[in-house]
């Protein structure tokens, strides 16, 4: 690999890519998880103390379900309590406002409360702002999207280098989502880059498929006494190829 790193990348980025290719699972997922975890680790000290950031959390009704519970596994109880105190207060204010709009509506069996305003409230509460993709509402989803774009771009940038192609071929391979992102970028870049990407991904998928087939074979009663190896965890790599690494989505 070239030692002169193009603008936008650092040797630290490239070293991270090397290590991600050596780990099990989609290398891009691994890098993205690292970026997300770094944000989570520093959120209670940096992100939480930012007033504008906390206001955005109120507007988005907090974090998405995935990242709410990832934060919940850390030492963030007080910070999350403060965030959701503001969120619940805001929702209750909307609820009280809508309750004040309720008017009796004549019915066949006497007076009853109207339902239209309540229906409008729930629609408004479930979508407090115009509907947008999740990453545009949850701050951590936004960090994930930025990291994805950065690391997919870096991978495609370095596919011309033999070292990166070898590392990618030895990895689990890209999950389908990140392969699609890399495909779109490589296609726009050059036919040669796209060919490199296809060759690497095909190598990875063929290897994992062979391991899965061997796992299935060794579950046949006729071969139960054969020695087990890495093929016994191949189902996990196959799942990572299709669905991405655990905890990313």
């Amino acid at each position: 690999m070239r030692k002169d790193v193009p603008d936008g990348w650092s040797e630290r980025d490239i070293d991270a890519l090397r290590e991600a290719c050596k780990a099990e699972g989609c290398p891009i997922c691994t890098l993205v998880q690292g970026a997300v975890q770094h944000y989570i680790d520093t959120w209670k000290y940096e992100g939480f103390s930012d007033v504008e950031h906390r206001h955005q959390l109120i507007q988005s009704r907090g974090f998405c379900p995935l990242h709410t519970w990832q934060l919940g596994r850390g030492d963030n109880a007080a910070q999350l309590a403060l965030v959701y105190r503001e969120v619940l207060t805001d929702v209750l204010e909307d609820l009280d406002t809508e309750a004040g709009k309720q008017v009796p509506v004549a019915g066949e069996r006497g007076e009853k409360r109207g339902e239209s305003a309540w229906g409008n409230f729930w629609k408004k509460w479930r979508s407090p702002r115009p509907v947008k993709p999740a990453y545009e509402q949850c701050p951590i989803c936004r960090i994930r999207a930025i990291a994805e774009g950065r690391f997919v771009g870096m991978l495609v940038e370095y596919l011309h280098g033999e070292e990166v192609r070898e590392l990618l071929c030895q990895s689990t391979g890209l999950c389908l989502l990140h392969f699609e992102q890399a495909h779109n970028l490589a296609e726009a870049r050059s036919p040669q880059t796209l060919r490199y990407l296809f060759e690497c991904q095909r190598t990875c998928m063929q290897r994992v498929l062979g391991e899965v087939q061997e796992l299935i074979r060794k579950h046949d009663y006729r071969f139960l006494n054969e020695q087990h190896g890495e093929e016994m965890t191949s189902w996990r790599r196959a799942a990572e190829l299709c669905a991405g690494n655990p905890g990313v989505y």
Side-chain angles (χ1 to χ4, degrees), residues 151-166:
F151 291 124
V152 168
M154 180 173 65
L155 176 66
V156 171
E157 171 76 20
Y158 276 95
L159 278 175
H160 64 80
E162 185 177 355
E163 180 190 0
V164 165
R165 295 200 301 275
E166 289 180 356

Side-chain angles (χ1 to χ4, degrees), residues 66-243:
L66 172 67
H67 295 128
T68 293
W69 297 113
Q70 285 183 357
L71 281 164
R73 289 197 293 269
D75 184 22
N76 298 305
Q79 290 83 351
L80 287 171
L82 288 169
V83 167
Y84 286 104
R85 179 190 66 181
E86 299 301 322
V87 171
L88 292 176
T89 299
D90 193 53
V91 172
L92 280 170
E93 288 177 356
D94 284 350
L95 182 62
D96 290 341
T97 299
E98 289 298 329
K101 296 178 182 179
Q102 301 302 306
V103 294
V105 177
E108 295 180 357
R109 299 183 178 179
E111 302 293 317
K112 66 177 182 179
R113 298 187 69 81
E115 296 177 352
S116 59
W118 283 112
N120 291 335
F121 164 74
W122 284 112
K123 290 178 183 177
K124 177 183 176 184
W125 180 80
R126 289 184 61 82
S127 182
R129 300 295 174 265
V131 177
K132 297 180 179 179
Y135 71 84
E136 291 189 20
Q137 296 184 16
C138 170
I140 303 182
C141 287
R142 194 159 54 243
I143 293 295
R144 181 180 64 194
I146 292 171
E148 282 178 328
R150 176 175 176 79
F151 291 124
V152 168
M154 180 173 65
L155 176 66
V156 171
E157 171 76 20
Y158 276 95
L159 278 175
H160 64 80
E162 185 177 355
E163 180 190 0
V164 165
R165 295 200 301 275
E166 289 180 356
L167 285 169
L168 185 57
C169 286
Q170 295 167 9
S171 73
T172 301
L174 302 181
C175 68
L176 295 182
L177 175 60
H178 291 140
F179 176 72
E180 180 180 4
Q181 293 176 3
H183 170 275
N184 293 340
L185 193 57
E187 187 175 40
R189 192 172 189 81
S190 71
Q192 182 68 32
T193 303
L194 186 61
R195 183 172 69 83
Y196 285 149
L197 178 65
F198 272 11
E199 289 175 351
C200 292
Q201 185 73 0
R202 182 176 176 81
T203 297
C204 295
M205 296 186 77
Q206 284 183 322
R207 182 179 60 254
V208 173
L209 176 59
E211 293 174 343
V212 167
Q213 290 172 332
E214 183 66 0
L215 181 154
I216 294 171
R217 187 187 71 82
K218 288 187 177 180
H219 273 72
D220 189 306
Y221 73 93
R222 294 171 296 176
F223 310 111
L224 290 177
N225 292 328
E226 289 190 14
Q227 185 175 358
H228 291 176
E230 291 186 358
E231 73 281 349
M232 304 312 289
T233 59
S234 61
W235 67 268
R236 193 169 62 212
R237 291 184 288 281
E240 288 162 344
L241 274 171
C242 293

